Each structure stands twice: as structure tokens, then as C-alpha cells.
Amino acid sequence: MTDSSKVEIKEVYLNGQGNTFLKRFPMCFFVGTVALAAVSCIAFTAGFSSETIFAGFKLFIGDLSQYIGIYGPVLGVLLFSVFFIIHYFGWISFGDFDIRAKRYIVVFVVLLTFSLVLRPHNSSHEQSIFNTFLNPPAIANEYKTVWYWVYVAVRYFGIAATLCALISIILYVLRYKNSDTEANGKRCASLCRASKDIFSGCCLRLSFIKNALSRFSVLSIVKLFSLIVICWVPWMIFLWPANIAADTVAQLMWVKSGKVWDPSSHEMLPGYAMSDHHPWLDTVIYGFFDSFGTNLLGSEAWGLWILAVLQTVGVAAAFAIIINYFTGVLKLDWKFGVLFLLFICFTPIFARTAMVVVKDATALPFFLLFMLLIVEYVRRLRQDLPVKIWLVIALIVLFVICAEMRKISLEIFAATFLVLALFLKRRVRSIAVAVIPVILLSVISSVAFPALHIASGGRQETVGVFFQQTMYTAVNHEESLSSNDRAIINAVNTCSTSDLVDIFALQDDKREINSDDALKDRCFNRDAS
């Protein structure tokens, strides 16, 4: 072996000590890698439609998010995973170089990134790597606000960090190929040792999560809940005040104006304060928070935001209980619990959905807990464990709450427990859970509707799918219908065949449109038995 090779082996071994930071602070390295991967995703996908979006924070965030989210949740997660791998191995490789090599890499990346970020202006704002340092974006001075410089800084930092990691990997591989076997062995050992130190250190730092996942307890749930909420806080801020659906707009207008209409027939309902066409309990909740924000906080936006945050916190608590149940009660390996926890924390759809003020999101925390209790109920029946009274009461209470917030829950849950009564033991309890909530809902309706001046919802909502399928059959297979079939259909249908054909019209992409709501609103005979 030559003297130069001996020197190189010595340098490689000593340079491996450059990863001492990884040994001492592995969790910081892992969290930093996750953060860099997230910033890189933003940097490489960010764009803007017009320079005017830099005039204010809401315009800036709203326009930017359209570009960032254009790839969808699945491709977005894959993109994040690619950047995570690049940063993970890139920065381990970077730490293995000597100080002079690190300086060369940093200086090269700093200069190169200028040409990638400060690009010439074009009308479409398409991202291009073929730009020059001397041609910054043509943004008017009045729009060079703090948000513009935040945009530039985030893109610059994200691209620079990614290039630095990527170049480090490339140089590490080239150095590996150009060295002899002994040097490569030392180098591989250094890289593997660094990765092992990070993994072992992270596992050690995650021991508190392991302890939390190992047993089902209030303290364990609080720990998991806190981690989820911390990760979801950015979405609570970015989505201020909240998204509201068209149904929610109607419910808010009923409360604010005192004028109620039937959303199906579009007729005014004098003398009523709300309609049960949309669940009345949701209307009461939305009206309360709207009034709370208007009267006490000076803006209804704050009231709706508080409601959206409470929904999000409720969903986070439900997921914390579910994860802890899987690992603490069902004894699933705690590593799967960590994977579930990370998936819930970093998949945007969960927090973003919870921040929507609509009946589905409002009922979601209760729905998740009810589904969990069904699992526990079935587990106890299958394992011949006692089904305690608290479990039955909790099932009935959540059943009622979910049904009052989301009407279709009534049919789903009642059918579920009737099926359980057929196939599992202790049939009386299953039938009780199916029947008692239905009775309670009838009693509540008989008391709440007159007291709160609630108009009953139309029957067409409960038969929407069946009515749609029947009408579709009547249009497409009219020749096969008997006179008795036609008589039955005509008893509940007020539309002519041509009207039905128009409703079932096909768009260019061959999708049926306007079939469900249009049929219920225009064609259902509300006077039919």
C-alpha cells in the first residue's frame, strides 16, 4: 500500500469523528432532516400566479398553497420521502468530509443556488433551472414586501440544502469508487456507524413514546395527543378562520337572519328557526360559536375558528386514544404505534379535514370514538370477557350524538348492531344498543323540535340513493317495466321521462351529473305515502 493510501485511510477514519454531533444529538439530526425535507418540498414546488399575492399574508398563503398541493397527498408523501432520503444520507456524508471539502461544497452550492432561485420573470412563473444570477424576478417594488422575501428565502434555503446534501452523496460515492478496498471498508464502516448511532439514539430518545404506547392510560393518551396537536398547530394557523361548506352557510344564515327555507324545495318556512334538513344539533352549535365570536370577540370569524380548532383538537384526542388502544390493549408492537403516530401527525389530510366547519367534521371525533368502542365491544364478545355497563352506556350516548350530528349514522349504527346480534353472543345487549338510541332520538325530536321551532326535514333525504337508482332504471330500462312497476314509480316521481333524461345527462368525460340532489329536489313526490 502506498503512503498516500495510508494517509487517506487515516483521514477517512479521523473524518468519521466529524459525525460526533450525530452521536450526541441523533434526535436533533432526525428532526432536522424531517424539517429540511419539508422545506425542500415547499422550495421545489412553490410558485405564484401574480406578484400581487405578496401584498398580504392571506393572499400569499392561499396562492402558494395551490402550487404546493398540486401534486396531491400520495405524490406529495412520495416527494417528501425522496427529499428525506437525500437529506438523511447527504448530511451524514457531508459530516464525513474534512473541513476544506466542506467549505468547497458550501461555497459552490451558495453560488449555484442564486442562479436557480433568482430567475428571470415570465408571465407564467414557471420554475426553470436555466436562469442567471444577474436577472432577478421582475417584481414591482411595491410588492417586494416581507412575504416576497420570505418566499425567496424559503426557496433559496430549501434548494441550497438539497443541493448540498445531493452533492455530498455524489462526492462520497466518487471517493468510494476511486479508493482502494481498505479505504472503502473504513469509509463504509464510518457511514454505517453514523446511521446506527442516529437510529439507536433516536430509539433511546423515543423511549418515552415507547413507554406511552406500551400501556393504555390517561397519561399515555395525553402524551400522544400533545405530539399530534403540536404537529397540527401550523394547519390551525394557516387555515384561519376555517373552511365552511354550502350546507353550513345555510345553517348560519338561518341563525343570523331568522329566516328559514327548505334547502330541497327552496320554499320559505315561516314560523321556524331552523330546518332539520341539515342536522339541527349542528345548526345550534354553529349558531352558538358564530354568536360567541360576533358578540364577545368582535368577529364571527374568531368564533368559527375556535370551533374548527376544537374539532381538530377532538380529532387529535380520538386518534391518540385509538393508537394507544392498539398498542396498549390489543398489544400491537409499539413500533407500529410510532408509524401510525407519524402518519397521523404528518399527513395533511387529517388536520385539514378537521378544520372544515361542516357536519361531517363536527361529528368526526365522536364517530372515531364510537368505532373504537365497537371494536372493544366485539373483542369482549369474542374473548368471553364481561361487557360492562359503562361500555353499553358509552355506545348508546355516542350513537345518539353521532346520529344527531350526521343523520346517516342512525342507519349505519343500527344495522351494525343488528348484524352483531345475529353473529355474536349476548344478542340482547346488541339489540338494546341498536333499539334504545332510536327510541331516545324519537323522544329528543319530539321535545326539541317544538321547543326550538325546528321544521322537520323531508323524507326524500332518507331515500335519496334508492330513489336515484330506481329513476335511473326507469330511464334506461323503460321497456322492461311492467304496468305495475310504472304505477309504483309514478306514485313517488313527479318528473317526465325527458326531465329524467336531462338530469342524467352525461358530460364529456362520461360522468353522470346532478343525479342525486336534483332528483330529490325536483322529482320526489313529497305527498306520497
Side-chain angles (χ1 to χ4, degrees):
M1 182 181 294
T2 62
D3 293 339
S4 60
S5 297
K6 293 179 180 178
V7 172
E8 184 179 12
I9 293 173
K10 183 178 180 181
E11 286 181 351
V12 170
Y13 179 76
L14 292 176
N15 288 337
Q17 303 305 313
N19 286 316
T20 303
F21 174 81
L22 306 183
K23 299 177 183 178
R24 295 183 60 187
F25 307 104
M27 199 65 186
C28 292
F29 176 82
F30 183 82
V31 172
T33 303
V34 171
L36 285 175
V39 173
S40 296
C41 286
I42 296 174
F44 279 89
T45 58
F48 57 93
S49 59
S50 170
E51 60 187 12
T52 58
I53 64 107
F54 296 111
F57 175 74
K58 291 188 70 175
L59 288 173
F60 169 64
I61 290 295
D63 192 78
L64 194 69
S65 62
Q66 295 180 18
Y67 286 85
I68 296 173
I70 196 171
Y71 298 101
V74 176
L75 190 56
V77 171
L78 293 177
L79 189 64
F80 172 84
S81 302
V82 170
F83 281 119
F84 177 82
I85 293 172
I86 291 174
H87 284 291
Y88 183 83
F89 290 103
W91 291 107
I92 293 177
S93 302
F94 183 82
D96 205 53
F97 289 115
D98 59 27
I99 189 64
R100 184 174 63 177
K102 292 177 182 177
R103 287 174 180 170
Y104 282 136
I105 294 173
V106 170
V107 171
F108 175 75
V109 167
V110 165
L111 295 177
L112 177 62
T113 308
F114 276 116
S115 66
L116 301 179
V117 176
L118 299 179
R119 52 187 171 75
H121 176 77
N122 59 73
S123 57
S124 64
H125 295 279
E126 294 176 354
Q127 307 301 315
S128 173
I129 63 173
F130 302 105
N131 302 302
T132 59
F133 170 69
L134 298 177
N135 290 310
I139 300 293
N141 290 331
E142 60 183 298
Y143 295 115
K144 289 184 178 178
T145 63
V146 62
W147 306 118
Y148 168 73
W149 294 113
V150 166
Y151 168 80
V152 173
V154 170
R155 288 201 67 237
Y156 183 90
F157 180 76
I159 293 175
T162 305
L163 287 177
C164 193
L166 190 58
I167 291 172
S168 297
I169 293 175
I170 294 172
L171 293 179
Y172 198 95
V173 172
L174 291 176
R175 191 173 66 168
Y176 181 90
K177 291 177 66 176
N178 296 329
S179 302
D180 57 33
T181 303
E182 188 173 355
N184 290 336
K186 292 288 186 180
R187 191 166 291 117
C188 285
S190 174
L191 184 63
C192 293
R193 186 168 57 250
S195 297
K196 182 179 179 181
D197 290 340
I198 294 170
F199 180 78
S200 300
C202 287
C203 289
L204 183 63
R205 301 302 190 278
L206 289 173
S207 59
F208 81 97
I209 297 181
K210 179 180 179 180
N211 295 334
L213 292 170
S214 298
R215 62 191 186 93
F216 188 73
S217 67
V218 174
L219 182 59
S220 299
I221 293 170
V222 169
K223 290 179 180 179
L224 301 178
F225 165 75
S226 301
L227 289 173
I228 296 174
V229 169
I230 289 172
C231 294
W232 285 5
V233 164
W235 292 111
M236 300 181 199
I237 297 172
F238 291 153
L239 295 177
W240 186 95
N243 293 320
I244 58 175
D247 292 351
T248 307
V249 173
Q251 291 170 281
L252 289 173
M253 290 301 297
W254 295 341
V255 176
K256 294 172 72 70
S257 66
K259 298 178 180 180
V260 183
W261 62 88
D262 184 344
S264 179
S265 65
H266 307 290
E267 297 177 354
M268 297 302 297
L269 301 174
Y272 290 102
M274 64 189 80
S275 170
D276 194 47
H277 179 92
H278 303 310
W280 68 271
L281 183 57
D282 292 320
T283 304
V284 171
I285 294 171
Y286 301 155
F288 171 80
F289 281 94
D290 182 274
S291 301
F292 177 77
T294 302
N295 298 329
L296 296 181
L297 303 177
S299 171
E300 63 178 342
W302 282 107
L304 295 175
W305 181 76
I306 291 173
L307 172 58
V309 168
L310 289 176
Q311 289 180 177
T312 307
V313 169
V315 173
F319 276 131
I321 295 172
I322 290 171
I323 294 173
N324 194 210
Y325 174 85
F326 284 159
T327 56
V329 177
L330 300 185
K331 300 305 179 183
L332 193 68
D333 191 282
W334 73 276
K335 296 184 182 67
F336 289 102
V338 171
L339 291 177
F340 295 155
L341 182 64
L342 292 175
F343 184 72
I344 295 297
C345 287
F346 295 109
T347 303
I349 190 65
F350 296 110
R352 294 188 63 171
T353 300
M355 284 294 291
V356 180
V357 178
V358 67
K359 54 182 175 289
D360 307 272
T362 305
L364 188 56
F366 305 99
F367 180 82
L368 290 172
L369 291 178
F370 186 81
M371 297 303 294
L372 178 65
L373 290 185
I374 291 178
V375 174
E376 174 63 11
Y377 182 78
V378 172
R379 183 184 76 89
R380 288 174 178 265
L381 292 181
R382 293 288 299 275
Q383 297 181 3
D384 289 326
L385 298 173
V387 178
K388 298 184 179 180
I389 189 63
W390 69 263
L391 180 57
V392 176
I393 293 174
L395 285 168
I396 293 174
V397 171
L398 287 173
F399 191 145
V400 172
I401 292 175
C402 290
E404 292 289 16
M405 289 184 168
R406 190 73 177 93
K407 291 183 180 180
I408 198 172
S409 301
L410 174 63
E411 290 86 353
I412 294 174
F413 296 162
T416 298
F417 280 93
L418 289 177
V419 171
L420 294 180
L422 289 175
F423 295 99
L424 295 177
K425 303 175 181 178
R426 303 175 192 176
R427 293 180 173 84
V428 174
R429 291 190 180 183
S430 296
I431 294 174
V433 176
V435 174
I436 291 176
V438 176
I439 298 174
L440 289 175
L441 288 167
S442 300
V443 173
I444 292 172
S445 298
S446 63
V447 174
F449 278 37
L452 300 176
H453 303 287
I454 303 170
S456 299
R459 288 173 295 176
Q460 72 279 358
E461 297 302 312
T462 60
V463 297
V465 173
F466 312 105
F467 186 64
Q468 176 198 46
Q469 295 302 305
T470 303
M471 294 303 102
Y472 189 78
T473 302
V475 170
N476 290 277
H477 305 282
E478 185 177 10
E479 69 284 350
S480 64
L481 297 176
S482 66
S483 57
N484 186 51
D485 293 335
R486 290 191 183 92
I488 294 173
I489 291 174
N490 291 335
V492 294
N493 171 46
T494 61
C495 289
S496 64
T497 302
S498 60
D499 291 333
L500 293 174
V501 171
D502 290 338
I503 291 174
F504 283 112
L506 300 180
Q507 286 182 324
D508 293 337
D509 59 359
K510 304 303 180 185
R511 286 188 301 107
E512 293 175 11
I513 60 172
N514 297 328
S515 56
D516 190 5
D517 287 338
L519 282 169
K520 291 188 299 183
D521 296 347
R522 292 166 50 186
C523 301
F524 184 78
N525 181 8
R526 291 173 172 77
D527 297 326
S529 62

